[in-house]
Amino acid sequence: MNSWDAGLAGLLVGTMGVSLLSNALVLLCVLHSADIRRQAPALFTLNLTCGNLLCTVVNMPLTLAGVVAQRQPAGDRLCRLAAFLDTFLATNSMLSMAALSIDRWVAVVFPLSYRAKMRLRDAALMVAYTWLHALAFPAAALALSWLGFHQLYASCTLCSRRPDERLRFAVFTGAFHALSFLLSFVVLCCTYFKVLKVARFHCKRIDVITMQTLVLLVDIHPSVRERCLEEQRRRRQRATKKISTFIGTFLVCFAPYVITRLVELSAVPISSHWGVLSKCLAYSKAASDPFVYSLLRHQYRKSYKEILNRILHRRSLRSSGFSGDSHSQNILPVSE
């Protein structure tokens, strides 16, 4: 194993560690907080989190073993199962992000009727659709025997070893990425740009009211006026930054792998190191999702702080109990 392979293996190990800890924390927050569970987005987050955890404990270790051993890391049946999961989980992850963007679009564009339009039942139907959509392609690939170990990515994924099926496999791969990556990307762009448009419209209305107030308050101190204007700029930048993060992480993580899969179909030689790196970038979405969609939000911060306080409180009670027991043991012989 050369230095490139060692670096890619280290990247995989780091991604696995961050993904496992962060997604487990999101799952604990959802299970702990009744307020989070009552909201429709919790179903999308739970679906995304469980998929990320499954990818972390099944697909990432097999890819790591493939990088280290430079060969198929498991038997054919297990590799086909891992390839089925890899295809299903990648599609489910993309569609879950699209579902989250639709939820935020409804919340921003229809704030007064959001609860009527996005109930838990509606969210459950959307999750059921993402599952059916995500299961369709790996099921078809399994029936056509297009699942197995791909040396370019050192992982169990979509592949075809028969030259006479190259055209059929190319059409299937193109349709798969069009109806997973491209579809999700279009939904993300349409919904988030609409959200940004509405957010900027509301910011302008707030800015007009603020400026009218500042004009009326002629005796206001210049520093206060400057702070108000600065807050207006921050509000506009905050909305743009969030949406750029949502779309940017999607592209940075998935686009290199999807483009590599499509370029591979044209028989262009591709470095195996780049193939594995693009796969690692796709895996890194599982590590970034908890921070992009969950852990930095107020409700999740409150939930994991409560979990941490409860753990620390129990430890303090145990330590105080142990100290009390040792103190009573020291006193008893004296009283005798």
Side-chain angles (χ1 to χ4, degrees):
M1 187 169 65
N2 56 32
S3 58
W4 263 100
D5 294 329
L8 291 171
L11 179 61
L12 269 170
V13 171
T15 303
M16 287 169 56
V18 175
S19 177
L20 187 63
L21 292 175
S22 57
N23 284 286
L25 183 57
V26 171
L27 188 59
L28 284 175
C29 290
V30 173
L31 295 176
H32 173 265
S33 175
D35 293 336
I36 294 176
R37 291 196 304 273
R38 277 195 292 266
Q39 298 176 355
L43 284 178
F44 305 133
T45 303
L46 193 62
N47 182 41
L48 185 62
T49 301
C50 292
N52 288 339
L53 284 172
L54 193 57
C55 178
T56 303
V57 300
V58 176
N59 294 100
M60 292 188 197
L62 286 176
T63 301
L64 176 62
V67 171
V68 173
Q70 296 294 307
R71 59 182 176 83
Q72 183 172 317
D76 290 338
R77 288 186 179 181
L78 181 58
C79 195
R80 281 196 296 270
L81 175 61
F84 185 95
L85 280 176
D86 180 77
T87 309
F88 166 72
L89 293 175
T91 309
N92 181 60
S93 175
M94 295 178 191
L95 294 176
S96 295
M97 285 179 272
L100 281 166
S101 70
I102 293 173
D103 173 77
R104 298 195 178 188
W105 171 72
V106 174
V108 172
V109 178
F110 308 102
L112 298 179
S113 57
Y114 170 74
R115 292 187 180 277
K117 292 179 180 293
M118 190 60 70
R119 296 164 295 181
L120 285 173
R121 186 183 66 181
D122 301 320
L125 288 174
M126 291 178 69
V127 171
Y129 170 76
T130 63
W131 274 60
L132 291 174
H133 188 136
L135 281 170
F137 283 98
L142 182 62
L144 294 168
S145 300
W146 286 344
L147 298 176
F149 181 74
H150 202 311
Q151 188 66 47
L152 178 62
Y153 308 101
S155 61
C156 299
T157 183
L158 282 175
C159 66
S160 175
R161 296 184 178 89
R162 295 177 58 181
D164 58 324
E165 294 182 337
R166 180 175 295 176
L167 180 60
R168 291 173 60 201
F169 182 73
V171 173
F172 178 86
T173 304
F176 167 63
H177 290 303
L179 293 175
S180 56
F181 173 79
L182 185 60
L183 175 64
S184 301
F185 178 65
V186 169
V187 172
L188 284 171
C189 290
C190 292
T191 52
Y192 281 132
F193 285 155
K194 182 64 176 178
V195 167
L196 183 61
K197 183 179 179 181
V198 174
R200 284 182 172 176
F201 173 73
H202 289 311
C203 284
K204 286 181 180 179
R205 291 183 62 185
I206 295 172
D207 292 347
V208 169
I209 295 172
T210 304
M211 291 305 298
Q212 290 175 349
T213 306
L214 292 176
V215 170
L216 292 174
L217 299 174
V218 292
D219 295 332
I220 193 171
H221 195 275
S223 63
V224 177
R225 181 176 301 178
E226 189 63 32
R227 277 201 300 271
C228 292
L229 296 174
E230 181 64 26
E231 182 59 31
Q232 292 175 16
R233 286 191 291 270
R234 288 179 182 174
R235 200 161 44 238
R236 288 192 293 267
Q237 291 173 358
R238 198 179 302 127
T240 305
K241 188 182 296 183
K242 283 184 178 180
I243 291 173
S244 300
T245 302
F246 295 145
I247 298 177
T249 53
F250 181 87
L251 283 177
V252 169
C253 294
F254 284 127
Y257 178 69
V258 172
I259 293 171
T260 304
R261 293 299 312 232
L262 296 176
V263 170
E264 176 198 352
L265 298 174
S266 61
V268 174
I270 300 173
S271 169
S272 60
H273 293 141
W274 170 252
V276 176
L277 179 60
S278 67
K279 191 66 176 175
C280 291
L281 287 174
Y283 284 150
S284 69
K285 194 71 178 70
S288 64
D289 283 342
F291 301 100
V292 173
Y293 290 100
S294 304
L295 294 179
L296 299 181
R297 296 178 62 189
H298 171 71
Q299 286 182 316
Y300 285 86
R301 290 204 307 267
K302 179 182 175 183
S303 181
Y304 64 70
K305 284 178 182 177
E306 289 176 356
I307 294 172
L308 183 60
N309 289 334
R310 183 173 295 183
I311 293 172
L312 294 175
H313 182 63
R314 286 180 180 177
R315 286 184 177 179
S316 64
L317 286 178
R318 288 177 183 176
S319 61
S320 62
F322 290 147
S323 62
D325 291 341
S326 61
H327 182 65
S328 61
Q329 289 174 1
N330 290 335
I331 292 176
L332 283 173
V334 178
S335 61
E336 290 176 353

